[in-house]
Amino acid sequence: MSELAALRHQIELESDAIDFCFEHGWSDGLPVIPPTEGRVRAMLDAAGLQPDDQIGFIPERQISITAEKVAINAVLAGCKPEYMPVVVAAVEGICDPEWAFHGPSTTTSGPAVLLIVNGPIARKLEINSKESLFGPGWRANLTIGRALRLVMRNVCGTLPGTLDMSTLGNPGKFSYVIAENEEESAWQPFHVDRGFRADQSAVTVMAADGPCQIFNQLSESPEQLLLTMADNMRISGGVVGQTYYVVILPGEHHKIVTDAGWSKKDVQNFLFQHTYNNYAHLRRTGRFPMPIKPGDEYRMRPLVTSPDMIFVLAAGGKVGAFSAFIPGWAKAGWSRAVTKEIK
């Protein structure tokens, strides 16, 4: 294997090395694991990569992201070596022109990078897809997402107040990683919807806001349950255009919908049809330029451009009458969801 290119720093105590990383701005505010040569090489070996292999390129910043740089940040984040292929695929995702790195990384809005992991690797690495889906306690979820953010910070220069100009930020900027609960789902996996085989592993990368939870323990039919979801989604539309949405149906709600024989397409179509707003409402609430024009009460705009822009997946705990939707960032054309195979 070729030599590592990173600078070496000789520090005797590991506790001093952690403080050294803080002092040099390499941390997201939490303690990091010092990236020794042995730890970095273990990451590279796990992914079968050479240090100078290019994982991605950010043209707006003329930055090449090499495997060594990804490995260093995966160590800093606390990843196990076996997580490295997922981190690499996620970095490939944010470097894809369709994801359009510059927009979501510099906006005054607050998107985080949502990662949805599918396929055998999600189960092998125990990436959480069930209870406390977005919560703490799962090393794979937390460190994989953290590694990606540290790459954005330490390699791409996406620092708060400089290139990251988000007004409010988003807790998901620490880490925002879930897996789909494929084992207990009645539907085909999300990555199959995206064109992959079920036996492949893949990660989908999205610029996304935080999850919005909805509660419904009264409904016994898909129609009434999804009207609760649609009512909340309808008023969440952005002011700059139509984005995409992720809709997550955990155990109880998933069972109501699938026991009635509804497919993902049925859910997408129903939500699409029930999230229209009239132009008058959009102008009145500051989403369209004023003033209200004649006929605006009857002119309608859908929340998204098509039903396919509502991504539906099964995840979350078995118990509890809760679901969630996640708005994407800005206009869908500004940053698209990208799915990469995990090799």
Side-chain angles (χ1 to χ4, degrees), residues 43-113:
M43 289 287 174
L44 292 168
D45 289 344
L49 294 169
Q50 295 296 316
D52 56 356
D53 287 342
Q54 181 172 285
I55 306 303
F57 186 76
I58 309 296
E60 297 89 347
R61 303 187 191 176
Q62 290 296 293
I63 289 173
S64 173
I65 303 177
T66 64
E68 179 181 349
K69 293 174 182 177
V70 175
I72 289 170
N73 285 281
V75 173
L76 286 166
C79 288
K80 293 182 178 181
E82 52 262 41
Y83 301 170
M84 180 67 171
V86 186
V87 178
V88 169
V91 172
E92 291 175 348
I94 66 170
C95 292
D96 192 297
E98 291 285 291
W99 198 78
F101 184 94
H102 183 70
S105 69
T106 63
T107 177
T108 53
S109 180
V113 187

Side-chain angles (χ1 to χ4, degrees), residues 26-266:
W26 301 331
S27 168
D28 50 11
L30 294 173
V32 294
I33 304 299
T36 62
E37 180 170 352
R39 289 169 176 160
V40 171
R41 288 199 179 278
M43 289 287 174
L44 292 168
D45 289 344
L49 294 169
Q50 295 296 316
D52 56 356
D53 287 342
Q54 181 172 285
I55 306 303
F57 186 76
I58 309 296
E60 297 89 347
R61 303 187 191 176
Q62 290 296 293
I63 289 173
S64 173
I65 303 177
T66 64
E68 179 181 349
K69 293 174 182 177
V70 175
I72 289 170
N73 285 281
V75 173
L76 286 166
C79 288
K80 293 182 178 181
E82 52 262 41
Y83 301 170
M84 180 67 171
V86 186
V87 178
V88 169
V91 172
E92 291 175 348
I94 66 170
C95 292
D96 192 297
E98 291 285 291
W99 198 78
F101 184 94
H102 183 70
S105 69
T106 63
T107 177
T108 53
S109 180
V113 187
L114 172 64
L115 305 182
I116 301 172
V117 184
N118 280 98
I121 202 165
R123 297 179 288 278
K124 179 180 178 182
L125 301 183
E126 298 183 344
I127 299 174
N128 186 31
S129 65
K130 299 180 183 179
E131 282 73 20
S132 193
L133 182 67
F134 296 103
W138 299 88
R139 182 174 179 178
N141 298 59
L142 272 293
T143 60
I144 288 169
R146 188 186 186 201
L148 180 65
R149 289 302 312 190
L150 288 175
V151 169
M152 294 174 69
R153 175 188 180 89
N154 295 331
V155 183
C156 304
T158 308
L159 300 172
T162 54
L163 290 174
D164 178 356
M165 297 305 295
S166 176
T167 305
L168 294 174
N170 182 333
K173 287 192 173 190
F174 276 107
S175 182
Y176 202 7
V177 179
I178 63 172
E180 186 172 21
N181 186 358
E182 298 176 26
E183 301 94 324
E184 297 173 0
S185 174
W187 295 321
Q188 71 176 16
F190 178 58
H191 69 310
V192 176
D193 299 338
R194 305 280 296 171
F196 290 83
R197 300 188 315 272
D199 63 350
Q200 289 178 291
S201 293
V203 60
T204 302
V205 179
M206 305 181 188
D209 293 335
C212 302
Q213 185 171 274
I214 68 112
F215 172 62
N216 184 322
Q217 65 178 10
L218 301 176
S219 299
E220 296 181 356
S221 70
E223 291 87 350
Q224 190 175 41
L225 169 62
L226 293 174
L227 281 174
T228 305
M229 176 75 74
D231 195 43
N232 284 269
M233 290 174 64
R234 183 180 59 80
I235 60 171
S236 70
V239 299
V240 297
Q242 295 160 294
T243 184
Y244 50 75
Y245 280 74
V246 179
V247 169
I248 296 173
L249 295 174
E252 289 190 17
H253 286 175
H254 177 74
K255 188 174 189 304
I256 289 171
V257 171
T258 57
D259 279 358
W262 282 42
S263 67
K264 286 187 182 182
K265 283 289 185 185
D266 293 328

